[in-house]
Amino acid sequence: LVVGGIFWGNCFWLEAVNRGESLDAMRNREEPFDICVVGGGATGMGVALDAAVRGYAVCLVEQSDFGKGTSSRSTKLVHGGVRYLKQGDVSLVREALQERGRLVRNAPHLVRKQSFVIPGYSWMDGPFYGLGLKLYDALAGELGMGASRWLGKEEVVEALPTVRRERLRGGVSYFDGQFDDARLVIDLAWTATLRGAFVANYVKCVGLMEEEGKVVGVKVRDGELGEELEVRAKVVVNATGIFVDELRRGEQEMVTVSQGAHVVLPREFLPGEAALMVPKTSDGRVLFAVPWKEVVLVGTTDTPREEKLLEPRPLEEELEFILAHTEEYLGRRPKTEEVRSIYAGLRPLVRPPKSGGKTSAISRDHTIVRSENGLVTIAGGKWTTYRKMAEDLVDRVEEFEGWERRDCGTRDLRIETSGAERPGDFVELEMARRVEDVLARRTRALVEDARGAQEKAKWVGEGMAEALEKGDDWVETQVAEFEEVAKGWLPSI
């Protein structure tokens, strides 16, 4: 039975991703869910979808909005990770390239092919990067996007019109994927719901339910009404990203945090269709300048951080690094008024035995562990491999619990979308509850232009208020809260 929906053969169709119905299911279900997922980012939502497609009874809770954290703050690339070849992590690159191909096939409305150019400024650059990219092509196999090739100086300038020409010798071009990260999380939620999962945002897990030393569910609090619920489940999956250690209280910490910052600029800084990739900057980092929608994203950094925040902000030194390298490779330093937006995300990296304190050296592969009380935790990984991470997790749960193995059905599963376009649609169809949800994640207005997003806040609030049956006071509060968030996306450089 799917509450509020219609069952047709082997597929589900619901009128909306309905938060109230999900909470009702968690509140009133007589039998335990098979799997309860804590965490509504890419990993958690991937697990919920995989488990639902296999026919398990699944629910998911997220303390904030879906994709609020790391999953909406990436460089918007679906890629194998060229730099991981240099680290010798060939298996991770191969897996990521296979998943890149599946994402292009399964979510063509969100994922597309993007050309990249690596400019060469020494006679060794062309052969060195060219040979590495030939291996990159080979690892992609039949799911490849096109062959890499060497470029002459004139071809590099044609592809990257603003690139620094001094000492430019040529370059290498290759293909990778580009996507809308937050929209993919929302569409995964939509697709999981169509398959029978119950998902709810602004529902915080405040503790584990245990009987005789074993986890039998979670205690959650509805962030809107303050109601506390007990949700029983045979298995609880901890997919909370940078916060995984909070549910693993008393155990050795699994995760260390690295911050990646980005600066968003007008397209005039990179007017062509190709993206710039700098594989080794002055301090050894990788830098991208990527055309995305109507802007250019420049990043990223790899800065160890101690604080684990839902709303991290770029550090001054990160912004300086990005702006200085923009000037070095794209001709001039952006002025403050030209910067459309700035943002940062925190990567949950699995702690290695010894990393020397350098997060860029830590593998982006994922880890699955089962605690003595039965809590199953997944940590690490990268956006591109979210589907494979989810497949591995549900496989392991079946193994842990002694369940009969069921085939994974997500390798060729089309990711659906609601088609919402206006503020009221996002409330009614995609569980947007706040103005920030619409401007930051249902649309990407905050990423593309933070000042412009602030100007739209009241209009969005009024549209949402009508759908949610809220009054003027709610609109005023929502606008004020969004403006406070948006301040952190505005440059002060």
Side-chain angles (χ1 to χ4, degrees):
L1 175 66
V2 180
V3 180
I6 302 171
F7 178 76
W8 287 343
N10 291 322
C11 67
F12 294 98
W13 180 259
L14 274 77
E15 296 177 359
V17 182
N18 190 294
R19 182 175 183 275
E21 290 175 358
S22 289
L23 287 172
D24 284 343
M26 297 177 199
R27 184 185 297 111
N28 300 324
R29 184 179 174 88
E30 295 181 0
E31 296 294 322
F33 286 95
D34 294 315
I35 297 175
C36 175
V37 182
V38 183
T43 304
M45 206 60 76
V47 170
L49 175 59
D50 184 292
V53 169
R54 297 193 200 200
Y56 292 114
V58 185
C59 67
L60 176 148
V61 293
E62 161 57 42
Q63 66 172 328
S64 184
D65 186 31
F66 305 129
K68 159 76 174 181
T70 307
S71 297
S72 62
R73 298 162 186 265
S74 74
T75 315
K76 322 307 182 196
L77 300 180
V78 178
H79 63 143
V82 173
R83 72 185 179 96
Y84 304 136
L85 284 179
K86 185 179 178 181
Q87 297 176 357
D89 208 341
V90 175
S91 61
L92 174 62
V93 174
R94 180 188 291 112
E95 180 178 272
L97 288 171
Q98 295 292 309
E99 291 304 308
R100 181 193 70 177
R102 291 189 176 103
L103 255 178
V104 171
R105 183 178 61 204
N106 295 341
H109 62 296
L110 292 177
V111 186
R112 69 179 188 88
K113 181 167 76 172
Q114 172 66 55
S115 63
F116 289 77
V117 173
I118 302 175
Y121 292 95
S122 76
W123 69 271
M124 277 293 295
D125 285 350
F128 180 77
Y129 296 122
L131 291 174
L133 286 166
K134 289 301 178 185
L135 174 59
Y136 197 65
D137 295 342
L139 291 173
E142 63 181 16
L143 292 175
M145 291 183 160
S148 58
R149 67 185 185 94
W150 288 310
L151 303 177
K153 177 179 179 179
E154 293 76 16
E155 291 177 294
V156 173
V157 172
E158 182 179 359
L160 304 173
T162 53
V163 73
R164 174 169 61 85
R165 304 185 187 189
E166 181 185 0
R167 300 194 308 277
L168 180 65
R169 293 176 176 269
V172 183
S173 71
Y174 70 101
F175 294 97
D176 244 325
Q178 185 185 78
F179 77 138
D180 188 327
D181 50 7
R183 281 300 322 172
L184 183 52
V185 175
I186 302 304
D187 286 357
L188 288 173
W190 177 262
T191 308
T193 303
L194 298 182
R195 293 288 177 154
F198 293 97
V199 304
N201 54 359
Y202 296 104
V203 177
K204 182 178 177 60
C205 174
V206 295
L208 300 174
M209 298 168 57
E210 296 189 39
E211 294 178 1
E212 300 180 352
K214 297 298 181 182
V215 173
V216 295
V218 293
K219 299 175 183 178
V220 302
R221 181 184 298 117
D222 180 352
E224 295 189 355
L225 299 178
E227 177 189 10
E228 293 200 356
L229 306 173
E230 292 188 343
V231 182
R232 300 185 68 84
K234 298 173 185 175
V235 176
V236 174
V237 173
N238 178 8
T240 54
I242 62 173
F243 302 111
V244 293
D245 291 318
E246 292 188 8
L247 275 185
R248 288 167 43 84
R249 293 189 181 117
E251 299 186 69
Q252 183 176 356
E253 290 192 353
M254 286 183 63
V255 164
T256 188
V257 172
S258 165
Q259 178 160 294
H262 298 79
V263 172
V264 183
L265 301 172
R267 282 296 298 269
E268 64 191 69
F269 279 85
L270 194 63
E273 294 304 314
L276 166 71
M277 195 272 213
V278 180
K280 189 174 183 180
T281 59
S282 57
D283 66 351
R285 302 180 195 178
V286 173
L287 187 80
F288 292 99
V290 187
W292 185 73
K293 298 184 183 291
E294 303 303 317
V295 294
V296 176
L297 307 180
V298 187
T300 180
T301 57
D302 209 325
T303 309
R305 298 300 303 272
E306 291 296 327
E307 286 188 294
K308 298 175 181 179
L309 304 173
L310 263 178
E311 192 62 48
R313 297 187 177 184
L315 302 176
E316 289 186 14
E317 54 263 39
E318 291 180 302
L319 298 177
E320 176 57 33
F321 169 83
I322 294 172
L323 294 174
H325 281 80
T326 299
E327 182 177 17
E328 179 179 354
Y329 287 96
L330 296 180
R332 70 182 180 87
R333 185 184 179 93
K335 301 175 183 177
T336 299
E337 60 270 21
E338 291 178 303
V339 177
R340 297 284 187 86
S341 183
I342 59 175
Y343 66 94
L346 300 178
R347 308 178 186 94
L349 306 179
V350 178
R351 291 176 180 269
K354 292 182 180 179
S355 65
K358 191 172 184 181
T359 53
S360 61
I362 299 177
S363 173
R364 267 48 174 178
D365 211 345
H366 62 279
T367 297
I368 298 169
V369 297
R370 188 192 196 201
S371 301
E372 288 188 8
N373 63 5
L375 177 69
V376 180
T377 299
I378 181 166
K382 57 201 293 284
W383 231 126
T384 305
T385 58
Y386 89 91
R387 191 213 63 81
K388 184 62 168 61
M389 292 167 64
E391 179 182 352
D392 289 349
L393 185 286
V394 181
D395 283 349
R396 294 292 297 279
V397 166
E398 291 176 331
E399 177 185 329
F400 292 147
E401 298 299 313
W403 296 346
E404 183 178 350
R405 179 60 58 89
R406 300 181 184 181
D407 290 337
C408 172
T410 61
R411 296 185 191 95
D412 300 305
L413 180 70
R414 174 80 177 215
I415 306 302
E416 305 292 343
T417 189
S418 73
E421 295 182 351
R422 296 180 63 81
D425 298 338
F426 298 121
V427 178
E428 302 220 354
L429 297 178
E430 297 182 351
M431 217 178 288
R433 310 298 294 176
R434 303 180 182 180
V435 167
E436 180 196 339
D437 300 344
V438 171
L439 289 172
R441 289 170 292 279
R442 305 306 184 278
T443 71
R444 309 316 306 278
L446 184 60
V447 179
E448 293 186 75
D449 185 356
R451 298 180 190 87
Q454 284 183 315
E455 295 171 0
K456 295 182 178 73
K458 185 176 181 183
W459 175 76
V460 169
E462 290 172 346
M464 295 181 69
E466 183 176 351
L468 290 172
E469 298 181 351
K470 302 289 186 180
D472 293 341
D473 290 346
W474 182 88
V475 174
E476 290 181 11
T477 299
Q478 283 295 305
V479 171
E481 289 181 357
F482 176 73
E483 289 186 347
E484 187 62 30
V485 170
K487 287 178 183 178
W489 295 65
L490 288 168
S492 57
I493 47 183

